[in-house]
Amino acid sequence: MAESYDVIIIGSGPGGYVAAIRASQLGLKTAIVEREHMGGICLNWGCIPTKALLRSAEVLDHANHFKDYGLVLDGTVKPDAKAVVGRSRAVSARLNAGVGFLMKKNKIDIIWGEATFTKPGEIVVGKSSKPVVEPQHPLPKNVKSEGTYTAKHIIIATGARPRALPGIEPDGKLIWTYFEALKPDALPKSLIVMGSGAIGIEFASFYRSMGVDVTVVEVMPTIMPVEDAEITAIARKQLEKRGLKIFTSAKVTKVEKGAGSITAHVETSDGKVQQITADRMISAVGVQGNIENLGLEALGVKTDRGCVVADGYGKTNVAGVYAIGDVAGPPMLAHKAEHEGVVCVEKIAGLPNVHPTDKGKVPGCTYCNPQVASVGLTEAKAKELGRDIRVGRFSFAANGKAIALGEDQGMVKVIFDKKTGELLGAHMVGAEVTELIQGFVVAMNLETTEEELMHTIFPHPTVSETMKEAVLDAYGRVLNA
């Protein structure tokens, strides 16, 4: 007979494993299905290892500007690609093992293999077609294997994978995805990055810090197109100051592969075509949900543009079938997946006052140098929606802590509803703004007004003071500019 659970989650990425833990906490018999590596893309090939690489790049950038801090350094500092990548993989391995520990601690069964729906409430798990690769050696102990499993509630948390453009498909050699970009055998001398979203611009920033000649090609008029245009203009200026070459309103129309190089034909907005040759290219043109081979068609589960359609509680159009995280559509962010997992499970468990996920309050963070972070509406979007707004800005150049850190290139921008004082959006560029943005996220969730923010005491000296000054600026009360 098929083994039965209250909840089965397909996929052990941030959304899946967090949902499993919360389900177990609520007394639900829980299992999680994984086919490749515990922790999913985020822990193994995405969020975590890229941040480890970027930390190495940050330290190297500081070392190369030691004189700016009154320091004397004997000898040279240069990157050791093998050691940098090794540190990144070690960080992933540590967290990968941690997910397995959390499953055991919370008495969650791990089913190893690939799941396919046979009918609502039932899956068959077959042998995984994916090889077990580092950092996961060996497989978690005491895992269950192939068989039929049933549950009243089954949550799809299968994540996403890199999208490929026809004719410019990654080959793992000359054209990389983030998989190859994370662990190069050696640093290329030159690199083309196709796409300037978070993935593309983070890798562009990292490789430039490592001394690589980097060219970014973006089809939209601005880099990081989902961000506020004023913020990305500042980021672009700083990235170009660091030596990045950036083409916007441009697209790669075709590529030609050589023995050890690749030539991209880049068409600009005026119709002219420029040929750019580099050792390697990274394809960072977005991701698409992993919805194939799950049996969704037979169940009649609705999908749209490669993702499962689900409501704010993770419910699909088929009873007992749910979807969370990247596979449930944008924004495709690990923290959104985690939150969706908790909301979905708490709704399943029947907890009172469970609020649906509000995608308008999901923060976005890009860990390039300089960092970019945001939450809520951009200025352009607020105007498009017909909102009557107040906009405040404050530059890092007028902040004592930023100047002391040698990180005075940045800005905080806030957008308020003029009539109600509602905080509609906050946007930042500069050092460690990915750590600062949560202050505005909390404010938005608490429905804080401008008056309450202006009466909040911020510690001095901190970079966070720029947040309050930006609010004051929106209302003509700025103090330090």
Side-chain angles (χ1 to χ4, degrees):
M1 290 181 63
E3 188 164 358
S4 183
Y5 293 88
D6 296 315
V7 178
I8 294 176
I9 297 121
I10 306 172
S12 72
Y17 86 75
V18 167
I21 292 171
R22 187 65 183 125
S24 179
Q25 289 175 344
L26 292 169
L28 301 173
K29 184 181 179 184
T30 306
I32 194 163
V33 183
E34 178 54 57
R35 66 177 184 174
E36 193 167 6
H37 34 228
M38 300 301 293
I41 291 297
C42 175
L43 267 64
N44 294 279
W45 297 101
C47 319
I48 301 301
T50 56
K51 302 314 163 283
L53 293 180
L54 287 161
R55 176 59 173 168
S56 294
E58 181 183 20
V59 172
L60 180 60
D61 284 337
H62 284 308
N64 286 329
H65 293 88
F66 65 94
K67 290 182 180 179
D68 295 341
Y69 297 89
L71 304 176
V72 176
L73 179 66
D74 293 327
T76 60
V77 178
K78 58 184 180 180
D80 179 339
K82 185 176 180 180
V84 168
V85 170
R87 177 179 181 271
S88 171
R89 303 317 301 157
V91 169
S92 287
R94 177 177 173 180
L95 290 169
N96 175 286
V99 174
F101 167 77
L102 288 171
M103 297 300 98
K104 181 179 179 181
K105 175 185 174 183
N106 288 279
K107 298 180 174 58
I108 297 161
D109 287 344
I110 299 173
I111 306 170
W112 203 262
E114 299 190 10
T116 303
F117 282 92
T118 51
K119 59 184 178 181
E122 182 179 276
I123 59 170
V124 170
V125 178
K127 186 176 181 180
S128 175
S129 63
K130 297 289 185 178
V132 178
V133 296
E134 57 81 25
Q136 187 165 275
H137 291 295
L139 289 174
K141 295 180 180 178
N142 303 319
V143 300
K144 297 179 182 292
S145 57
E146 298 97 302
T148 301
Y149 298 88
T150 64
K152 186 176 180 181
H153 309 280
I154 300 178
I155 302 172
I156 303 165
T158 49
R161 65 185 184 279
R163 176 178 281 112
L165 296 181
I168 317 178
E169 293 87 356
D171 58 11
K173 297 177 181 178
L174 293 176
I175 304 178
W176 292 346
T177 66
Y178 53 74
F179 290 100
E180 294 81 25
L182 271 168
K183 47 177 300 184
D185 294 329
L187 292 173
K189 292 182 179 179
S190 55
L191 176 70
I192 300 167
V193 179
M194 184 171 60
S196 74
I199 293 173
I201 212 70
E202 285 182 6
F203 276 118
S205 182
F206 165 73
Y207 276 99
R208 181 63 202 132
S209 292
M210 294 292 111
V212 178
D213 183 10
V214 179
T215 301
V216 176
V217 181
E218 170 56 54
V219 70
M220 299 299 286
T222 63
I223 61 170
M224 294 177 272
V226 300
E227 301 292 347
D228 187 271
E230 188 175 4
I231 293 295
T232 60
I234 295 171
R236 177 174 183 166
K237 183 178 179 180
Q238 292 303 309
L239 290 166
E240 289 179 330
K241 187 177 179 180
R242 291 178 53 213
L244 271 78
K245 302 178 187 70
I246 299 174
F247 291 85
T248 49
S249 298
K251 60 182 178 180
V252 177
T253 56
K254 70 174 182 177
V255 295
E256 296 173 351
K257 296 181 181 180
S261 65
I262 188 163
T263 298
H265 292 243
V266 179
E267 182 180 328
T268 54
S269 58
D270 57 7
K272 295 181 180 178
V273 176
Q274 181 174 342
Q275 295 184 22
I276 302 172
T277 300
D279 293 341
R280 298 292 183 271
M281 172 188 279
I282 295 176
S283 176
V285 291
V287 296
Q288 62 189 73
N290 293 318
I291 61 173
E292 297 82 7
N293 304 316
L294 288 168
L296 302 182
E297 300 87 352
L299 263 64
V301 174
K302 186 177 180 181
T303 62
D304 180 43
R305 288 176 288 184
C307 294
V308 179
V309 177
D311 68 11
Y313 298 105
K315 294 180 181 179
T316 70
N317 63 307
V318 176
V321 179
Y322 309 80
I324 61 170
D326 288 0
V327 76
M332 293 180 175
L333 301 166
H335 44 277
K336 190 265 286 188
E338 292 181 2
H339 185 78
E340 286 180 329
V342 171
V343 167
C344 181
V345 167
E346 290 184 346
K347 190 68 173 179
I348 287 171
L351 266 62
N353 304 316
V354 179
H355 298 286
T357 299
D358 182 352
K359 293 183 179 180
K361 292 185 174 68
V362 177
C365 296
T366 305
Y367 299 82
C368 52
N369 180 10
Q371 293 182 4
V372 173
S374 64
V375 64
L377 301 178
T378 63
E379 181 179 1
K381 188 64 177 179
K383 289 178 178 177
E384 180 187 323
L385 293 173
R387 304 296 291 262
D388 191 11
I389 60 174
R390 288 180 178 268
V391 179
R393 303 170 180 83
F394 194 79
S395 171
F396 278 28
N399 176 263
K401 180 67 178 292
I403 295 170
L405 291 173
E407 303 279 7
D408 64 347
Q409 297 302 303
M411 187 178 78
V412 174
K413 177 178 180 178
V414 289
I415 300 158
F416 288 93
D417 183 282
K418 188 178 289 187
K419 182 178 179 180
T420 66
E422 177 190 0
L423 178 61
L424 300 176
H427 308 273
M428 304 175 171
V429 56
E432 295 305 320
V433 295
T434 57
E435 298 290 342
L436 296 180
I437 192 63
Q438 190 59 24
F440 284 131
V441 178
V442 171
M444 289 180 70
N445 274 276
L446 294 177
E447 299 181 352
T448 305
T449 67
E450 90 292 349
E451 195 67 26
E452 291 164 324
L453 284 168
M454 287 191 283
H455 281 89
T456 299
I457 300 173
F458 283 69
H460 174 79
T462 63
V463 180
S464 70
E465 290 174 279
T466 59
M467 299 165 66
K468 181 174 181 176
E469 291 281 8
V471 175
L472 291 170
D473 182 61
Y475 288 84
R477 295 174 53 180
V478 66
L479 297 172
N480 287 286

